[in-house]
Amino acid sequence: MAVCCRWYLVVGLGLGTAATGLIFLLAWRDIFDILVAEEKSLLPGSALYKEWRRPTMRPRWQFYAYNWSNAEACLSVPQQAATASFQELGPYTYDEYTEVVDVKFHQANGTLSYRKRTFFRQSDATKTDDITSVNFVALLVSHLARNMDYSVQRELSYLLYNFRQTVTVSRPVAQLLFTGQREPVLEQLGKLICTGKNLSIPCPDERLAYFRTFNVSRRPSELYSMDVGLQEHSRYGIVRSQGSVASRTVHDNFRPCDGFADLTGDLFPSRLDRHKPITIVLPELCRRLTLEFDREQLFHGIVGYRYKVRLVRPFNGEMTRLGSCSDASIRLDGYGILNSNECNGLPVYESAHDQSADDGSQLYYTLEPTTGTVLESYIGLTYHTVLSPNEHIALFQHVPELRIPLFRFERYYRSSEVKLAKLTQLLHLLDIGHQAALAGCVAGIAIVAITALYACWWSREPSKNRNDDYSIIGMQLSNAGRDTQFVK
């Protein structure tokens, strides 16, 4: 009886161990997700919040500019426009510095409102070149004049003549990209076009450069609102612009004048599904990108999902001309590459890019799927403008129709070694939890199995106290009928 009780206790212990291991195995995913949510918390005071406001790991940009080497010959003989020659100069390497300002946390809906400032510092300040290119100030005047009254166009034509503007200019590459040069013609242009009737037209400041608003002015972006995932983890990292519709959740219902409400490529939700494409918006580049899973890739010992950029287009590409959106709608406020170019109707266009190329020019993101951490990313875009005749602007009456490459850039980002080490430890903890749970299940099942086998073996083993030839049934002592007296 005692032996059976001991067996029941051992079997119960085994079943309890197996059940505990199974429960822990099933619950470990949720437990781990809670740990990841703590690591990814963007609540004020958290470690990631501080890193988000002042990133220590900075993307590196390499810029290339195109020098129009035979500009004078092409412009003097428009019939020779097909022989235009452009020489690519660079790279000019810069580090990106970003700071987040005017941050407010809104507990009611779990969002952070903020503005962002971005500026660049050249890694090798000694490298500089003079670039001959189209005079973008004059080209902008001609471009904006297309939809204006004839009298205004003639006034703009005289304005360019009065300020001795030319079709081409030669300037240091730093001026073309960032600092710009003070242009008095821009001030006069603002007085003519920035009126009550032309509120939809972007009004340039006194300087103009491709990345002007990023650097010298230190101007902040428009007000953004980011979901930190308190109410719904899948919306972690989604950023809304001022013009976005609060209730919009489906991209197909997006209207071009409503701004955007998407991921911006900095933060991603956890538990990525490789079968679902990811849409991100780069507001400073006026681009919406669709990332589609390509393959798994090992990055410093971490298995990541590599996504190819399959689609690049203006995120409000339906806006084909100025005035497409009503004056009441909110558009980008002109922060970014040449004031967000196509989003604000400025004549800087992204050149065609071969998305199928399997080389270093391919745009991609590498993400760790469990935590959504960005391991590595590469964005490279090329921009051009179009020189075309304008019969109402004297400076451009006889210019040839010509596509002019302006510049291109390559933006690299790689996660820091410290961040990768922390991520490796976190993922190792996930493996340890799974292994411990599985070990508990296996140990419990093994205990039950061994106990059952031992019980079967014990029940069949011959007993040393047994005699198979005979057995004693009972014994009675007798005195053969004699009485025995006991002495008391």
Side-chain angles (χ1 to χ4, degrees), residues 248 250-256 258-261 288 315-316:
R248 187 181 72 87
V250 181
H251 298 306
D252 295 338
N253 295 332
F254 177 75
R255 295 176 299 184
D258 290 336
F260 64 91
R288 171 172 280 120
F315 63 79
N316 55 354

Side-chain angles (χ1 to χ4, degrees), residues 441-462:
C441 292
V442 172
I445 295 173
I447 291 174
V448 174
I450 292 173
T451 303
L453 290 173
Y454 181 77
C456 292
W457 174 79
W458 189 90
S459 64
R460 295 184 179 183
E461 183 182 6

